[in-house]
């Protein structure tokens, strides 16, 4: 009985004696773009401070606020790096405030204009990203020149649009379930020409319709030399979970390692179509 009383007393005292310590996962900057202030969150690799001579790839994640996709994206990337599925990297999360305004170009579709009246300023958002955010990150952090742009849905459209407009601002692109139905599939109707572009990871889930026909047109237009991986998951994923399911594969493709055990553990890069 005495032992139980002493144990209970010790347990009651312990919380009062403990001082909580903050868990710091990164750094945040507040910048203005397209009429709104927004966070640019920078999450460094765990070994960044301990390896002062090492340089790292950078993954730029759209919809990258703490309340958006940032924490999930960092977690999936760290998990991939832990297994050697993809290289570890600096993650830069770009907060979006009005996604259609910031991530999509103007549309000639009256129904889209009525539903999303603010849409159409992707060019201005891209200019801010490439002329303000990217140079700031490269000046402040030890990068190795690898810069990957990642986005899903409307952000995926932004990724494809950025990839399509030379000169290349990034060394790799991942467009997961991109909204290629936008503006009567206009982005997929562009002639890509013979310009040499960086590798791009493309995917579809269950979207179907104009999103899928836009993707098929885009794939058919790619030059034979274009490096790409297309993952088709119509029967396995829905639009809502395509980023969760496919971001590890996208990073495996764009930040490849020489690990030879991945397939054994089910970490397969599945490209239904591949080029380059």
């Amino acid at each position: 009985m005495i032992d139980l009383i002493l144990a209970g007393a010790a347990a009651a005292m312990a919380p009062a004696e403990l001082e909580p310590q903050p868990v710091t996962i990164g750094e945040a900057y507040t910048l203005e773009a397209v009429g709104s202030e927004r966070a640019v969150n920078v999450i460094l690799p765990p070994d960044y401070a301990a390896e002062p001579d090492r340089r790292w790839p950078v993954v730029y994640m759209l919809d990258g606020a703490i309340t958006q996709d940032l924490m999930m994206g960092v977690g999936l990337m760290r998990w991939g790096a832990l297994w050697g599925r993809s290289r570890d990297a600096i993650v830069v999360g770009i907060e979006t405030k009005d996604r259609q305004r910031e991530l999509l170009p103007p549309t000639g579709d009256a129904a889209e204009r009525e539903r999303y009246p603010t849409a159409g300023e992707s060019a201005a958002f891209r200019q801010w990203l490439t002329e303000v955010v990217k140079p700031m990150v490269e000046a402040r952090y030890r990068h190795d020149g690898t810069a990957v742009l990642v986005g899903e849905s409307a952000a995926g459209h932004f990724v494809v649009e950025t990839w399509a407009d030379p000169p290349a601002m990034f060394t790799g692109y991942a467009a997961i379930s991109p909204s290629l139905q936008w503006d009567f599939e206009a982005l997929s109707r562009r002639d890509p020409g013979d310009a040499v572009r960086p590798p791009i990871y493309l995917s579809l889930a269950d979207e179907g319709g104009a999103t899928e026909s836009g993707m098929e047109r885009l794939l058919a237009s790619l030059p034979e030399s274009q490096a790409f991986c297309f993952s088709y998951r119509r029967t396995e994923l829905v639009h809502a979970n395509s980023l969760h399911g496919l971001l590890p594969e996208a990073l495996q493709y764009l930040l490849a390692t020489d690990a030879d055990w991945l397939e054994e553990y089910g970490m397969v890069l599945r490209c239904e179509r591949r080029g380059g």
Side-chain angles (χ1 to χ4, degrees):
M1 176 66 75
I2 293 175
D3 288 343
L4 291 174
I5 293 173
L6 292 174
M13 293 173 59
E17 296 171 356
L18 294 175
E19 288 295 331
Q21 300 297 318
V23 176
T24 302
I25 63 166
E27 303 168 344
Y29 302 86
T30 301
L31 301 176
E32 191 276 336
V34 195
S36 296
E37 286 191 341
R38 66 198 66 240
V40 174
N41 300 300
V42 181
I43 315 297
L44 300 174
D47 298 329
Y48 186 87
E51 300 185 38
D53 296 326
R54 184 175 174 182
R55 293 182 171 273
W56 308 80
V58 184
V59 175
Y60 293 84
M61 173 171 282
L62 300 165
D63 298 323
I66 290 178
T67 55
Q68 294 176 315
D69 299 331
L70 178 68
M71 304 305 291
M72 179 199 66
V74 171
L76 289 173
M77 192 205 67
R78 292 278 177 266
W79 175 79
L82 177 68
W83 283 94
R85 185 175 193 175
S86 55
R87 287 184 284 155
D88 208 349
I90 299 167
V91 177
V92 179
I94 314 296
E95 181 180 14
T96 49
K97 291 292 187 74
D98 180 341
R99 298 180 73 250
Q100 284 69 37
R101 179 184 183 186
E102 298 154 1
L103 299 174
L104 294 170
T107 177
D109 186 331
E112 289 177 340
R113 287 200 305 270
E114 182 176 358
R115 185 176 182 184
Y116 302 111
T118 62
E121 296 192 48
S122 63
F125 196 70
R126 180 176 300 103
Q127 183 176 6
W128 169 76
L129 175 60
T130 57
E131 295 183 5
V132 177
V133 177
K134 193 166 179 283
M136 180 193 77
V137 170
E138 292 176 350
R140 291 172 179 257
Y141 300 98
R142 299 193 308 274
H143 67 96
D144 67 0
T146 304
V148 173
L149 181 64
V150 176
E152 181 263 348
S153 193
H157 189 287
F158 183 93
V159 169
V160 176
E161 189 182 19
T162 305
W163 168 86
D165 289 335
M169 297 296 179
F170 299 87
T171 61
Y173 297 80
I176 297 172
S177 290
S179 300
L180 293 178
Q181 78 282 355
W182 184 256
D183 189 23
F184 302 111
E185 307 168 47
L187 184 54
S188 70
R189 299 180 192 278
R190 292 190 191 180
D191 180 2
D194 297 323
V196 177
R197 291 181 172 86
I200 184 167
Y201 178 91
L202 298 161
S203 72
L204 279 177
D206 70 336
E207 290 84 13
T211 304
E212 186 163 342
S213 60
M215 177 63 76
E216 290 293 340
R217 187 181 298 106
L218 173 63
L219 292 169
S221 73
L222 296 178
E224 186 175 339
S225 60
Q226 175 61 48
F228 76 94
C229 170
F230 172 61
S231 183
Y232 186 58
R233 303 298 177 88
R234 184 171 187 175
T235 62
E236 300 164 55
L237 296 171
V238 299
H239 191 76
N241 67 8
S242 59
L243 180 62
H244 311 63
L246 294 176
L247 181 58
E249 281 193 33
L251 296 175
Q252 183 177 354
Y253 176 63
L254 295 170
L255 299 178
T257 71
D258 58 3
D260 60 3
W261 57 82
L262 299 178
E263 188 170 349
E264 177 184 355
Y265 290 98
M267 300 175 192
V268 178
L269 176 61
R270 203 179 94 183
C271 305
E272 272 69 28
R273 277 174 261 180
R274 192 164 185 167

